[in-house]
Amino acid sequence: MKQPNFNLLYSVAGLAACTSVISSCQQKKEITKPYNIVYIMTDDHTAQMMSCYDTRYIETPNLDRIANDGVRFTNSFVANSLSGPSRACMITGKHSHANGFTDNTTCVFDGSQQTMPKLLQKAGYQTAIVGKWHLESLPTGFDYWEIVPGQGDYYNPDFITMNNDTIQKQGYITNIVTDMGIDWMENQRDRNKPFCLFIHHKAIHRNWLPETKYLAEYEEKTFPLPDNFFDTYEGRPAAASQEMSIFKDMDLIYDLKMLKEGKESSLKERYLSYIGRMNPEERKAFDDFYAPIITDFYKQNLKGKELAEWKYQRYMRDYAKTVKSLDDNVGRVLDYLKEHDMLDNTLVVYTSDQGFYMGEHGWFDKRFMYEESMHTPLIMHLPKGLDKRGDIPQLVQNIDYAPTFLELAGAEIPEDIQGVSLVPLLKGEAPKDWRKSLYYHFYEYPAEHMVKRHYGVRTDHYKLIHFYNDIDEWELYDLKEDPTEMHNIYGKPGMEEITKNLREELLRLQEQYNDPIRFKYN
Ligand code: SGN
Ligand code: CA
């Protein structure tokens, strides 16, 4: 079915915006249709596990469809590599200290503040979110929402409805969340309005529980170990003190499914409750699949490096299987939009709440400002009128999504939004004054995985990090010479001028964004 013509409504929204934002007026002339926005965000899906970014590990044909006919950001980053904080950055367009949601463990999102969905509503858009929300308070600014409590469950998951009821749905979460998004587009929205739909997946979050039909996938594959899998963290005390090592911290039962009578772990009860949600057929498929692997594993009695490598292979396989359902479901959304003739006026965004370690430095999880977790995948299918195709190399950050969507909607971008609209990049422009550096700040410590508090600045060449609180350590990396960040060159002879400039840039960013936590420059 064709989309109704929204031009009239768009003009009204655009007119309101024109009273105060000249760029929106200029924008309006070039955009003849109001664009819909379908924003698909996964949890912990890292670019290493998307074939449009990295061909070493797995194929993701549907994600590649987005990148192949659209754009791929090659320098896309988050401001604080953790779920709740990333989500808060994304919907407010502001860094964590400014939106108030600095960490997952102590924060509740203040839903009375200005957010991008609220501003889109004012501009005449219908807004909806389905899936993971993770901001503790209930969503505001959405005409429709249905979210999972907290992290949600993979199998037969619960959802919180707009009446604040909790209901259980049958099936695998990635399929269900996609069904809900498609159902909203097909049956529930007001077709007289443009819309912005957020499809927020729980996948690929720990503990990587696959859809039972994909249990046997990737079992024949041996994944290559990253070169720095056995990192010893020399010259990097903060990296040495984390608790996210595949070898030391990944749980054999909870993470790697090696459940056996007599084997205990502190996470066993939680594991049993997760797999206890499966129906009898699912559970049988799951148990039948794992039985021989469990027997073989305990028989081998692996130790040391052999055990570390075995854990890595199982982790990679489970993660890859979980991605497979996700990739299928992204394909379903693209097919729906295509079949309904909506691709020409719909921006489709695919991203993750952050990157993730696939064994680099010996790790799983995220949090650090190092590349694998500060980076986040960002690919887009562009509607007609936005002509850029291929790679976009400029430094972008998840605080940029809000101003981008607002500009596309013809809405005013409030002064206090800290991100920058990506629309010029989507049109193929290369603005000379594009930002030259990014600011990062991670707060969740002491907490699970024990990554120390830190802030820092990243340019296209260098990264300067200051770990603070119960530690006072600086790290400096030359990203061109040392892309895997193994050599901390802070304080090394010859780095004085570069360090001074980066410290100045860091302070400039802390002042620009008004972060109350700043280092004292001397
Ligand atoms: C859970 C996980 C952690 C993970 C955090 C944050 N532990 O607490 O491994 O770092 O979520 O992830 S688990 O035992 O519950 O699996 S986030 O993506 O939501 O920020
Ligand atoms: Ca996450």
Side-chain angles (χ1 to χ4, degrees):
M1 185 195 299
K2 288 242 180 242
Q3 282 285 91
N5 188 323
F6 295 122
N7 285 339
L8 183 62
L9 185 121
Y10 181 74
S11 305
V12 174
L15 207 64
C18 286
T19 54
S20 50
V21 173
I22 292 162
S23 67
S24 294
C25 298
Q26 289 163 345
Q27 183 67 26
K28 182 176 168 278
K29 283 196 197 103
E30 293 166 47
I31 298 174
T32 51
K33 283 181 182 171
Y35 291 137
N36 300 315
I37 299 163
V38 174
Y39 176 89
I40 307 174
M41 180 158 71
T42 29
D43 198 326
D44 295 358
H45 190 193
T46 194
Q48 301 95 295
M49 299 299 268
M50 290 170 68
S51 44
C52 52
Y53 275 105
D54 192 329
T55 51
R56 287 175 300 169
Y57 301 126
I58 58 170
E59 295 294 321
T60 49
N62 290 299
L63 292 166
D64 294 5
R65 276 164 72 186
I66 299 180
N68 290 343
D69 83 351
V71 293
R72 181 183 78 144
F73 287 82
T74 54
N75 280 298
S76 152
F77 297 91
V78 295
N80 179 358
S81 185
L82 205 59
S83 166
S86 271
R87 290 157 207 274
C89 288
M90 187 270 287
I91 60 166
T92 60
K94 295 176 184 172
H95 279 280
S96 302
H97 63 273
N99 66 48
F101 202 98
T102 52
D103 65 74
N104 283 343
T105 40
T106 67
C107 297
V108 176
F109 186 71
D110 172 8
S112 69
Q113 70 183 290
Q114 167 186 289
T115 63
M116 168 256 289
K118 288 184 191 173
L119 295 166
L120 286 176
Q121 284 180 322
K122 273 200 199 147
Y125 271 60
Q126 241 201 343
T127 58
I129 180 166
V130 291
K132 184 169 172 180
W133 168 247
H134 209 198
L135 289 174
E136 299 302 324
S137 53
L138 293 178
T140 56
F142 293 95
D143 297 298
Y144 177 78
W145 56 263
E146 200 161 305
I147 56 169
V148 296
Q151 297 282 10
D153 269 291
Y154 277 107
Y155 303 120
N156 305 318
D158 288 344
F159 284 84
I160 305 172
T161 68
M162 290 179 79
N163 310 327
N164 212 356
D165 289 334
T166 300
I167 54 166
Q168 187 176 14
K169 298 197 178 191
Q170 298 305 307
Y172 184 69
I173 183 118
T174 311
N175 302 330
I176 296 174
V177 167
T178 306
D179 289 345
M180 289 161 69
I182 292 176
D183 181 64
W184 183 79
M185 288 191 283
E186 180 63 18
N187 299 316
Q188 299 184 55
R189 72 192 159 99
D190 176 350
R191 285 175 184 258
N192 295 314
K193 290 181 175 182
F195 69 85
C196 179
L197 167 64
F198 297 79
I199 301 177
H200 283 197
H201 289 285
K202 171 199 171 56
I204 328 297
H205 195 271
R206 189 182 182 190
N207 52 347
W208 319 291
L209 285 163
E211 191 173 357
T212 49
K213 75 174 184 190
Y214 284 141
L215 280 167
E217 291 284 320
Y218 302 106
E219 283 299 311
E220 303 309 316
K221 194 169 164 78
T222 303
F223 291 88
L225 274 186
D227 289 345
N228 59 1
F229 184 74
F230 293 107
D231 192 354
T232 53
Y233 317 116
E234 207 179 309
R236 288 161 287 147
S241 68
Q242 49 51 53
E243 294 178 3
M244 48 193 251
S245 148
I246 291 176
F247 179 51
K248 288 197 301 225
D249 305 306
M250 194 174 262
D251 192 88
L252 281 170
I253 294 174
Y254 178 78
D255 291 311
L256 300 175
K257 293 94 185 168
M258 295 299 104
L259 182 67
K260 191 181 175 210
E261 235 46 27
K263 300 285 176 192
E264 292 305 323
S265 107
S266 56
L267 293 169
K268 183 174 164 183
E269 285 310 311
R270 271 181 59 204
Y271 178 67
L272 289 173
S273 80
Y274 293 170
I275 63 172
R277 299 184 70 94
M278 284 187 246
N279 67 33
E281 298 90 77
E282 290 164 338
R283 185 60 190 269
K284 182 171 183 323
F286 190 89
D287 288 344
D288 286 353
F289 172 76
Y290 277 108
I293 300 172
I294 294 171
T295 307
D296 181 60
F297 171 69
Y298 286 109
K299 200 167 81 198
Q300 288 193 65
N301 195 24
L302 301 170
K303 299 267 185 289
K305 279 195 171 182
E306 277 187 345
L307 177 59
E309 290 188 25
W310 181 92
K311 288 177 105 176
Y312 169 76
Q313 294 300 338
R314 289 251 46 95
Y315 163 50
M316 293 296 282
R317 287 176 188 150
D318 287 353
Y319 188 107
K321 294 170 201 194
T322 313
V323 172
K324 187 132 179 77
S325 301
L326 186 269
D327 186 70
D328 289 352
N329 277 289
V330 170
R332 290 179 60 213
V333 173
L334 295 175
D335 290 346
Y336 175 84
L337 294 171
K338 189 165 178 219
E339 280 156 21
H340 292 76
D341 238 340
M342 290 162 76
L343 280 174
D344 281 354
N345 74 329
T346 302
L347 171 77
V348 184
V349 178
Y350 181 84
T351 187
S352 172
D353 62 346
Q354 10 67 208
F356 213 69
Y357 295 92
M358 304 309 302
E360 299 88 356
H361 304 282
W363 296 339
F364 65 103
D365 214 65
K366 50 262 177 174
R367 298 161 192 267
F368 279 108
M369 194 189 166
Y370 303 134
E371 288 297 269
E372 290 82 359
S373 47
M374 183 183 178
H375 183 261
T376 199
L378 181 63
I379 52 177
M380 295 183 190
H381 157 85
L382 300 184
K384 278 216 166 111
L386 297 174
D387 295 329
K388 176 69 186 170
R389 294 293 178 271
D391 284 356
I392 297 182
Q394 278 86 354
L395 292 173
V396 305
Q397 203 161 27
N398 54 352
I399 53 172
D400 298 337
Y401 308 162
T404 304
F405 296 176
L406 292 172
E407 182 169 351
L408 284 182
E412 181 180 350
I413 301 171
E415 291 265 298
D416 62 351
I417 283 202
Q418 297 178 328
V420 179
S421 168
L422 304 175
V423 169
L425 306 180
L426 303 181
K427 288 184 187 163
E429 294 165 12
K432 288 227 160 29
D433 58 351
W434 193 259
R435 65 156 80 83
K436 303 277 186 294
S437 66
L438 293 173
Y439 184 58
Y440 183 90
H441 197 155
F442 175 81
Y443 302 78
E444 195 178 87
Y445 177 88
E448 197 176 5
H449 302 301
M450 296 302 273
V451 173
K452 301 209 184 260
R453 294 179 189 221
H454 58 289
Y455 51 69
V457 57
R458 188 198 188 281
T459 67
D460 66 348
H461 196 153
Y462 292 102
K463 190 182 287 178
L464 179 73
I465 314 176
H466 182 211
F467 291 92
Y468 69 95
N469 185 41
D470 60 348
I471 184 173
D472 181 12
E473 290 286 338
W474 288 84
E475 295 185 6
L476 172 63
Y477 297 97
D478 181 330
L479 300 171
K480 295 208 192 299
E481 293 290 318
D482 177 26
T484 56
E485 297 159 304
M486 296 294 286
H487 306 288
N488 176 14
I489 53 173
Y490 185 84
K492 298 274 186 256
M495 300 316 299
E496 298 80 0
E497 189 65 21
I498 286 160
T499 306
K500 181 173 169 284
N501 292 342
L502 285 166
R503 282 170 71 120
E504 276 168 13
E505 183 63 5
L506 175 60
L507 189 59
R508 188 189 71 74
L509 291 173
Q510 290 182 323
E511 279 166 359
Q512 177 191 328
Y513 295 132
N514 205 19
D515 190 342
I517 299 176
R518 297 178 201 184
F519 83 93
K520 292 200 177 41
Y521 194 73
N522 49 41

